[in-house]
Amino acid sequence: MKTIEQFKFENKIAVEIREMDLFYGNFQALKKINMTIPENRITAMIGPSGCGKSTLLKSLNRMNDLVEGCRVEGVIQIGGQNIYDKAMNLSMLRKNVGMVFQRPNPFAMSVYDNIVYGPRTFGIKKKADLDEIVERSLKGAAMWEELKDRLNKSALGLSGGQQQRLCIARALAVEPQILLMDEPTSALDPISTGKIEELCTELKKDVTIVMVTHNMQQATRISDKTAFFLLGEMVEMGDTHKIFSMPENKKTEDYITGRFG
Amino acid sequence: MVKSENKSEKAAKIVFITAACFSIVAVFAIVLFIFASAFPALQEIGTFKFLFGSKWFPKQDEYGLLPMIVATLLVTVSALLIGGAFGIFTAIFVVYFCPKKLKGFFNQIIVLLAGIPSIIYGFFGMIVLSPALKSLFNAESGNGLLASALILGLMILPTVTSLTKNALESVPRSYSEGSLALGASREQTIFRIDLPAAKTGVLSALTLGAGRAIGETMAVLVVCGNSAAFPDGLFSPIRPLTVNIVNEMGYAMGLHRQALFATGLVLLVFIFLLNGFLAFIKREKKEKDEANRTLVGGGAGEYIYKVRGMGSKILSVVSCLIAAVVVLVLGILIGYILVNGLPEISLDFLFGKPTYKTPTLLGAFVSTGWIILLSLLIAIPLGVGAAIFLVEYTKPGSKLVKVIRVFIDTLSGIPSIVFGLFGMIAFCAGGKSLFAGALTLSLMILPTVIRSVEESLLAVQNSVREGSLALGATKVRTIFKVVLPSALSGVVTAIILSVGRIVSESAALIFTAGSLPMVPSSPLDSGSTFAVLMYNFTAENPNMEAAYATATVLLMLVFLVNLAAYFCEKKWKKNK
Ligand SMILES: Nc1ncnc2c1ncn2[C@@H]1O[C@H](COP(=O)(O)OP(=O)(O)OP(=O)(O)O)[C@@H](O)[C@H]1O
Ligand SMILES: [Mg+2]
């Protein structure tokens, strides 16, 4: 048994991406990406469909490894470690860099088992510990009051919004340092969306959030930094209020003013 | 805290690969063992003389297999004509003419027909069909070529029907719409468009049916007349290759025994030839599929223009009649056995202490239980492991997967009598035992297990796998904690199907587990299942009362298995 370490962030930098290219077979989906993602902030990624937002997000916890023929060049550093290094431990990476998907994907188990699935994966067995984790995670996801009486019910019986928040709680249960969210609200109703946005603002005290969103108002509502992508390139990144009020690049301006995309 | 995951990940992958490659090993082992045991005979007798000699007199060391080869081919072709025609028409009926409400019923009929043990078909042939043929045709005996062909035809009918049904159901709507839009009638469309479009499916159905017919032992054993002479009429007694083995293996020694193994080898060659043919037509289909799409649609218009007669109408009436006949035959089979068998069942016969003179079923309860338990214990982990490898660890189109698939298919096509021969040399060094029988049967059920687990693994959504992986769970943990539990239905289906197969099996057990009605005291003792006892009561030591009663019990078991399968399917369909 060895302990899973955490990444050590320096200078408030969580992720550094340098000259990164990504290929699906012969198709280059990301071109020369350079980005710095700050710690304890919400970074939004926006851009038209197919520009590579999900692709970039998935390369931050190497979910891209599952895609046949996907190749990454360049450097992605988290806490100073190159995550595409041979020595990188995938379990360690994904435990610390959690992910919430576009569509809620609860496991066919009880609410309780969904949440403790991750902790159990990493060898936490004591009932008392697990109970505590469940409470902490559900509180973290602001649904403890809602769910504390139905912990043993199947997670599949929850509403879509509840399922998505449960998936967030499930991700929080292993105490990730970074949380990747790929359009986490696009399959949800406005009320659930509001709850999740509120949740994210709460969460950034403890976690660094990177969120892909199609919804520019959402980006302005919750994010601190925004990066704009187009055709596999990062066009511009900066403070959200600045990007949306006075973008430097013409293409960004066109996009945020709704002229195209 | 984590264990060093990488090593256990690799170890698990190796375990899964091993499980998947087990089918390859099994097929090679079977071929090698049978070949090794047959080789001395081929050498001593001479392969040519063995294959083309026309006299089989073991006592005088004369071993000519030709009459048996001819008998096998002849009976297979006739069974195909009968069972094939009936099967195809039944499928047409179920797909196109069956009222919606009756569809479920007919599907169950087909499943039931497929589930009835071959020894029961044989018994039915002996007590109902043969006497009927005898009086109908005023023949000396009802047994022989015709009776064998009819029984085999009935046996392969469910195979042909269900595969043809699948093929017809997957014909694209656009085909028949094109035809209907031209003004063709529904009947014309079915026979001129849909059926030709499903040609490859029908052809593979027939090929698989032929494989079943060639390899079938128990159903023909008691109705074939059993004479190693060339057949010269519908009622002339014949002896197919399988019957040659099962009849003489019990007492054969030395060269005689080797000659029987050589008979098994010939059987294997036939099966492999059919497999090759099947692979060939499937490949042809893939290549032609695209081209055909337009051809079928285009050609159809002209065709229909000319043919506007009564032909198709008549064919559709025929398909309804044939479906009715199939139901009738199944009804007679079940009715006749139950009516005669139920009164013979007594507590004493079921659970009494057996002696040679008054056999009981107590031993069969114990033996069947043991064999089911042991075979499942072996085949389920192996099959699940193999399915996991095939679904979770390979890319679509991988060469290794293709090879493994070929061997799994090959394994599933090997006749049970050949499994019996293999088990006899591979597992019976210490004599026949339930354990040896279970080892043999676990090989037989392995392909079924792999297939049904594979199907349900494929049905698990990828987002669920990603959800677990994204939490940092390893692949193995993801598979066991998240994917497999979601695929539980496949494992349960595999178990039910396997139990059905094990309960029905007799040919593979006679030489590996034994055929006496005694009560085994441990899995290392010999013992016989219900189906094997049924063989004992019809062929080895004829005992009509016991045979009827055992047949009734067997049928009940088959009903139970089918019922279980039916309810599981229903339950899981609802949950989805
Ligand atoms: N597995 C894959 N194989 C090949 N190409 C892919 C794969 N996944 C994505 N792509 C391609 O890479 C490009 C970027 O896709 P990606 O899903 O990252 O876009 P996105 O910005 O997330 O779009 P959306 O807003 O629609 O989700 C697209 O052109 C897409 O077709
Ligand atoms: Mg996307």
Short mmCIF file of all heavy atoms in Angstrom, two decimals, chain B residues 181-225:
data_model
loop_
_atom_site.label_atom_id
_atom_site.label_comp_id
_atom_site.label_asym_id
_atom_site.label_seq_id
_atom_site.Cartn_x
_atom_site.Cartn_y
_atom_site.Cartn_z
N ALA B 181 -45.19 -0.38 -52.91
CA ALA B 181 -45.50 0.86 -53.61
C ALA B 181 -45.69 0.62 -55.11
O ALA B 181 -46.32 1.42 -55.80
CB ALA B 181 -44.39 1.88 -53.39
N LEU B 182 -45.13 -0.50 -55.59
CA LEU B 182 -45.31 -0.82 -56.99
C LEU B 182 -46.63 -1.52 -57.25
O LEU B 182 -46.95 -1.89 -58.37
CB LEU B 182 -44.19 -1.74 -57.45
CG LEU B 182 -42.86 -1.06 -57.75
CD1 LEU B 182 -41.79 -2.11 -57.94
CD2 LEU B 182 -43.01 -0.21 -58.99
N GLY B 183 -47.35 -1.77 -56.18
CA GLY B 183 -48.64 -2.41 -56.35
C GLY B 183 -48.62 -3.90 -56.11
O GLY B 183 -49.59 -4.59 -56.32
N ALA B 184 -47.48 -4.42 -55.67
CA ALA B 184 -47.43 -5.85 -55.38
C ALA B 184 -48.22 -6.14 -54.11
O ALA B 184 -48.32 -5.29 -53.23
CB ALA B 184 -45.98 -6.28 -55.19
N SER B 185 -48.75 -7.34 -54.02
CA SER B 185 -49.50 -7.69 -52.82
C SER B 185 -48.53 -8.02 -51.70
O SER B 185 -47.34 -8.19 -51.92
CB SER B 185 -50.39 -8.90 -53.09
OG SER B 185 -49.57 -10.05 -53.19
N ARG B 186 -49.05 -8.11 -50.50
CA ARG B 186 -48.21 -8.41 -49.35
C ARG B 186 -47.54 -9.77 -49.52
O ARG B 186 -46.34 -9.92 -49.29
CB ARG B 186 -49.10 -8.40 -48.11
CG ARG B 186 -48.33 -8.51 -46.86
CD ARG B 186 -49.01 -7.77 -45.71
NE ARG B 186 -48.39 -8.22 -44.49
CZ ARG B 186 -48.86 -9.21 -43.75
NH1 ARG B 186 -49.98 -9.81 -44.10
NH2 ARG B 186 -48.23 -9.59 -42.68
N GLU B 187 -48.31 -10.76 -49.97
CA GLU B 187 -47.76 -12.11 -50.13
C GLU B 187 -46.63 -12.11 -51.15
O GLU B 187 -45.59 -12.71 -50.94
CB GLU B 187 -48.85 -13.09 -50.56
CG GLU B 187 -49.84 -13.45 -49.48
CD GLU B 187 -50.92 -12.39 -49.34
OE1 GLU B 187 -50.95 -11.44 -50.15
OE2 GLU B 187 -51.74 -12.51 -48.41
N GLN B 188 -46.89 -11.43 -52.26
CA GLN B 188 -45.85 -11.38 -53.29
C GLN B 188 -44.59 -10.73 -52.74
O GLN B 188 -43.49 -11.18 -53.00
CB GLN B 188 -46.35 -10.59 -54.50
CG GLN B 188 -47.32 -11.37 -55.35
CD GLN B 188 -47.95 -10.49 -56.39
OE1 GLN B 188 -48.25 -9.32 -56.15
NE2 GLN B 188 -48.15 -11.06 -57.58
N THR B 189 -44.78 -9.67 -51.99
CA THR B 189 -43.63 -8.98 -51.44
C THR B 189 -42.81 -9.90 -50.54
O THR B 189 -41.59 -9.94 -50.60
CB THR B 189 -44.10 -7.75 -50.63
OG1 THR B 189 -44.90 -6.95 -51.49
CG2 THR B 189 -42.93 -6.95 -50.14
N ILE B 190 -43.50 -10.66 -49.72
CA ILE B 190 -42.79 -11.56 -48.81
C ILE B 190 -41.96 -12.58 -49.58
O ILE B 190 -40.78 -12.76 -49.31
CB ILE B 190 -43.80 -12.29 -47.89
CG1 ILE B 190 -44.43 -11.28 -46.94
CG2 ILE B 190 -43.11 -13.40 -47.13
CD1 ILE B 190 -45.66 -11.80 -46.27
N PHE B 191 -42.61 -13.23 -50.55
CA PHE B 191 -41.91 -14.33 -51.20
C PHE B 191 -40.96 -13.87 -52.30
O PHE B 191 -40.01 -14.56 -52.62
CB PHE B 191 -42.92 -15.35 -51.74
CG PHE B 191 -43.56 -16.13 -50.63
CD1 PHE B 191 -44.81 -15.79 -50.17
CD2 PHE B 191 -42.88 -17.17 -50.04
CE1 PHE B 191 -45.40 -16.49 -49.12
CE2 PHE B 191 -43.44 -17.87 -48.99
CZ PHE B 191 -44.71 -17.54 -48.54
N ARG B 192 -41.22 -12.71 -52.88
CA ARG B 192 -40.36 -12.26 -53.96
C ARG B 192 -39.27 -11.31 -53.48
O ARG B 192 -38.23 -11.19 -54.09
CB ARG B 192 -41.18 -11.53 -55.03
CG ARG B 192 -42.27 -12.36 -55.65
CD ARG B 192 -41.71 -13.25 -56.72
NE ARG B 192 -42.73 -14.17 -57.18
CZ ARG B 192 -42.48 -15.41 -57.57
NH1 ARG B 192 -41.23 -15.85 -57.56
NH2 ARG B 192 -43.45 -16.19 -57.97
N ILE B 193 -39.53 -10.60 -52.40
CA ILE B 193 -38.57 -9.57 -51.97
C ILE B 193 -37.90 -9.93 -50.65
O ILE B 193 -36.68 -10.08 -50.57
CB ILE B 193 -39.29 -8.21 -51.77
CG1 ILE B 193 -40.05 -7.83 -53.04
CG2 ILE B 193 -38.30 -7.14 -51.36
CD1 ILE B 193 -39.17 -7.59 -54.23
N ASP B 194 -38.69 -10.11 -49.61
CA ASP B 194 -38.11 -10.30 -48.29
C ASP B 194 -37.30 -11.58 -48.20
O ASP B 194 -36.18 -11.58 -47.72
CB ASP B 194 -39.21 -10.30 -47.22
CG ASP B 194 -39.79 -8.91 -47.03
OD1 ASP B 194 -39.48 -8.04 -47.88
OD2 ASP B 194 -40.53 -8.69 -46.07
N LEU B 195 -37.89 -12.67 -48.65
CA LEU B 195 -37.21 -13.95 -48.53
C LEU B 195 -35.89 -13.97 -49.30
O LEU B 195 -34.86 -14.35 -48.76
CB LEU B 195 -38.15 -15.08 -48.97
CG LEU B 195 -37.80 -16.47 -48.45
CD1 LEU B 195 -37.67 -16.49 -46.94
CD2 LEU B 195 -38.84 -17.47 -48.89
N PRO B 196 -35.89 -13.54 -50.59
CA PRO B 196 -34.60 -13.48 -51.29
C PRO B 196 -33.61 -12.56 -50.61
O PRO B 196 -32.42 -12.84 -50.59
CB PRO B 196 -34.98 -12.93 -52.68
CG PRO B 196 -36.41 -13.27 -52.85
CD PRO B 196 -37.01 -13.22 -51.49
N ALA B 197 -34.10 -11.47 -50.02
CA ALA B 197 -33.17 -10.55 -49.36
C ALA B 197 -32.55 -11.19 -48.13
O ALA B 197 -31.44 -10.85 -47.73
CB ALA B 197 -33.89 -9.27 -48.98
N ALA B 198 -33.29 -12.12 -47.54
CA ALA B 198 -32.79 -12.78 -46.33
C ALA B 198 -32.04 -14.07 -46.66
O ALA B 198 -31.78 -14.89 -45.79
CB ALA B 198 -33.95 -13.07 -45.38
N LYS B 199 -31.71 -14.22 -47.93
CA LYS B 199 -31.15 -15.48 -48.41
C LYS B 199 -29.96 -15.97 -47.58
O LYS B 199 -29.92 -17.13 -47.16
CB LYS B 199 -30.71 -15.28 -49.87
CG LYS B 199 -30.52 -16.56 -50.63
CD LYS B 199 -30.22 -16.26 -52.10
CE LYS B 199 -28.93 -15.49 -52.23
NZ LYS B 199 -28.73 -14.85 -53.54
N THR B 200 -29.02 -15.08 -47.32
CA THR B 200 -27.83 -15.52 -46.59
C THR B 200 -28.19 -16.02 -45.21
O THR B 200 -27.68 -17.04 -44.76
CB THR B 200 -26.84 -14.36 -46.44
OG1 THR B 200 -26.74 -13.69 -47.68
CG2 THR B 200 -25.49 -14.87 -46.03
N GLY B 201 -29.08 -15.30 -44.54
CA GLY B 201 -29.51 -15.72 -43.21
C GLY B 201 -30.14 -17.10 -43.27
O GLY B 201 -29.86 -17.96 -42.43
N VAL B 202 -30.99 -17.33 -44.27
CA VAL B 202 -31.65 -18.62 -44.40
C VAL B 202 -30.61 -19.71 -44.67
O VAL B 202 -30.66 -20.80 -44.09
CB VAL B 202 -32.70 -18.58 -45.53
CG1 VAL B 202 -33.35 -19.93 -45.71
CG2 VAL B 202 -33.74 -17.52 -45.23
N LEU B 203 -29.64 -19.37 -45.52
CA LEU B 203 -28.61 -20.35 -45.85
C LEU B 203 -27.79 -20.71 -44.61
O LEU B 203 -27.50 -21.89 -44.37
CB LEU B 203 -27.69 -19.77 -46.93
CG LEU B 203 -27.02 -20.77 -47.85
CD1 LEU B 203 -28.05 -21.68 -48.49
CD2 LEU B 203 -26.21 -20.06 -48.92
N SER B 204 -27.45 -19.70 -43.80
CA SER B 204 -26.69 -20.06 -42.58
C SER B 204 -27.57 -20.84 -41.63
O SER B 204 -27.08 -21.73 -40.93
CB SER B 204 -26.09 -18.86 -41.86
OG SER B 204 -26.45 -17.67 -42.44
N ALA B 205 -28.86 -20.53 -41.59
CA ALA B 205 -29.76 -21.31 -40.75
C ALA B 205 -29.74 -22.77 -41.16
O ALA B 205 -29.64 -23.67 -40.32
CB ALA B 205 -31.18 -20.75 -40.84
N LEU B 206 -29.80 -22.99 -42.46
CA LEU B 206 -29.80 -24.37 -42.95
C LEU B 206 -28.46 -25.05 -42.65
O LEU B 206 -28.41 -26.23 -42.29
CB LEU B 206 -30.08 -24.41 -44.45
CG LEU B 206 -31.51 -24.01 -44.84
CD1 LEU B 206 -31.68 -23.99 -46.35
CD2 LEU B 206 -32.52 -24.98 -44.22
N THR B 207 -27.37 -24.30 -42.79
CA THR B 207 -26.06 -24.89 -42.53
C THR B 207 -25.93 -25.30 -41.07
O THR B 207 -25.46 -26.40 -40.76
CB THR B 207 -24.95 -23.89 -42.87
OG1 THR B 207 -25.23 -23.32 -44.14
CG2 THR B 207 -23.61 -24.55 -42.89
N LEU B 208 -26.36 -24.40 -40.18
CA LEU B 208 -26.31 -24.76 -38.76
C LEU B 208 -27.21 -25.96 -38.48
O LEU B 208 -26.87 -26.84 -37.70
CB LEU B 208 -26.72 -23.57 -37.90
CG LEU B 208 -25.64 -22.52 -37.74
CD1 LEU B 208 -26.19 -21.29 -37.03
CD2 LEU B 208 -24.46 -23.08 -36.95
N GLY B 209 -28.36 -25.98 -39.13
CA GLY B 209 -29.27 -27.11 -38.99
C GLY B 209 -28.59 -28.40 -39.44
O GLY B 209 -28.68 -29.43 -38.77
N ALA B 210 -27.88 -28.34 -40.56
CA ALA B 210 -27.18 -29.52 -41.06
C ALA B 210 -26.16 -29.99 -40.04
O ALA B 210 -26.02 -31.20 -39.77
CB ALA B 210 -26.49 -29.20 -42.39
N GLY B 211 -25.45 -29.04 -39.42
CA GLY B 211 -24.47 -29.40 -38.40
C GLY B 211 -25.11 -30.14 -37.25
O GLY B 211 -24.61 -31.15 -36.77
N ARG B 212 -26.26 -29.63 -36.83
CA ARG B 212 -26.97 -30.30 -35.73
C ARG B 212 -27.38 -31.71 -36.13
O ARG B 212 -27.27 -32.64 -35.36
CB ARG B 212 -28.23 -29.51 -35.37
CG ARG B 212 -28.02 -28.55 -34.22
CD ARG B 212 -29.34 -28.22 -33.56
NE ARG B 212 -29.58 -29.05 -32.40
CZ ARG B 212 -30.65 -28.92 -31.62
NH1 ARG B 212 -31.55 -28.03 -31.90
NH2 ARG B 212 -30.81 -29.69 -30.58
N ALA B 213 -27.87 -31.84 -37.36
CA ALA B 213 -28.35 -33.15 -37.81
C ALA B 213 -27.19 -34.14 -37.89
O ALA B 213 -27.31 -35.29 -37.45
CB ALA B 213 -29.05 -33.01 -39.16
N ILE B 214 -26.07 -33.71 -38.44
CA ILE B 214 -24.93 -34.63 -38.57
C ILE B 214 -24.45 -35.09 -37.21
O ILE B 214 -24.11 -36.25 -37.01
CB ILE B 214 -23.76 -33.91 -39.31
CG1 ILE B 214 -24.10 -33.75 -40.78
CG2 ILE B 214 -22.47 -34.69 -39.16
CD1 ILE B 214 -22.99 -33.14 -41.58
N GLY B 215 -24.45 -34.18 -36.24
CA GLY B 215 -23.88 -34.52 -34.95
C GLY B 215 -24.84 -35.16 -33.98
O GLY B 215 -24.46 -35.59 -32.90
N GLU B 216 -26.11 -35.23 -34.33
CA GLU B 216 -27.10 -35.72 -33.38
C GLU B 216 -27.00 -37.24 -33.20
O GLU B 216 -26.87 -37.98 -34.15
CB GLU B 216 -28.50 -35.34 -33.85
CG GLU B 216 -29.61 -35.79 -32.92
CD GLU B 216 -29.36 -35.41 -31.48
OE1 GLU B 216 -28.98 -34.26 -31.23
OE2 GLU B 216 -29.52 -36.26 -30.59
N THR B 217 -27.05 -37.64 -31.94
CA THR B 217 -26.90 -39.06 -31.64
C THR B 217 -28.18 -39.65 -31.09
O THR B 217 -28.77 -40.57 -31.65
CB THR B 217 -25.80 -39.24 -30.57
OG1 THR B 217 -24.66 -38.52 -30.96
CG2 THR B 217 -25.46 -40.71 -30.43
N MET B 218 -28.61 -39.09 -29.96
CA MET B 218 -29.63 -39.75 -29.17
C MET B 218 -30.99 -39.80 -29.85
O MET B 218 -31.74 -40.74 -29.65
CB MET B 218 -29.76 -39.02 -27.83
CG MET B 218 -28.55 -39.22 -26.98
SD MET B 218 -28.18 -40.98 -26.93
CE MET B 218 -26.82 -41.00 -25.82
N ALA B 219 -31.29 -38.79 -30.65
CA ALA B 219 -32.62 -38.75 -31.26
C ALA B 219 -32.75 -39.83 -32.33
O ALA B 219 -33.85 -40.34 -32.57
CB ALA B 219 -32.88 -37.38 -31.87
N VAL B 220 -31.64 -40.19 -32.96
CA VAL B 220 -31.74 -41.18 -34.03
C VAL B 220 -31.44 -42.59 -33.54
O VAL B 220 -31.83 -43.57 -34.16
CB VAL B 220 -30.80 -40.86 -35.20
CG1 VAL B 220 -31.40 -39.81 -36.09
CG2 VAL B 220 -29.44 -40.46 -34.74
N LEU B 221 -30.77 -42.65 -32.39
CA LEU B 221 -30.31 -43.94 -31.89
C LEU B 221 -31.40 -45.02 -31.93
O LEU B 221 -31.18 -46.12 -32.44
CB LEU B 221 -29.80 -43.75 -30.45
CG LEU B 221 -29.33 -44.99 -29.72
CD1 LEU B 221 -28.13 -45.57 -30.41
CD2 LEU B 221 -28.98 -44.62 -28.28
N VAL B 222 -32.59 -44.69 -31.43
CA VAL B 222 -33.61 -45.72 -31.29
C VAL B 222 -34.56 -45.83 -32.48
O VAL B 222 -35.42 -46.70 -32.50
CB VAL B 222 -34.43 -45.53 -29.99
CG1 VAL B 222 -33.62 -46.00 -28.81
CG2 VAL B 222 -34.86 -44.09 -29.83
N VAL B 223 -34.41 -44.93 -33.46
CA VAL B 223 -35.33 -45.05 -34.60
C VAL B 223 -34.61 -45.36 -35.92
O VAL B 223 -35.24 -45.46 -36.95
CB VAL B 223 -36.17 -43.76 -34.82
CG1 VAL B 223 -37.15 -43.57 -33.69
CG2 VAL B 223 -35.28 -42.56 -35.01
N CYS B 224 -33.28 -45.50 -35.88
CA CYS B 224 -32.56 -45.63 -37.14
C CYS B 224 -32.52 -47.07 -37.64
O CYS B 224 -32.23 -47.33 -38.81
CB CYS B 224 -31.16 -45.07 -37.03
SG CYS B 224 -30.10 -46.00 -35.92
N GLY B 225 -32.82 -48.02 -36.80
CA GLY B 225 -32.78 -49.41 -37.23
C GLY B 225 -31.42 -50.03 -37.03
O GLY B 225 -31.29 -51.24 -36.90
#
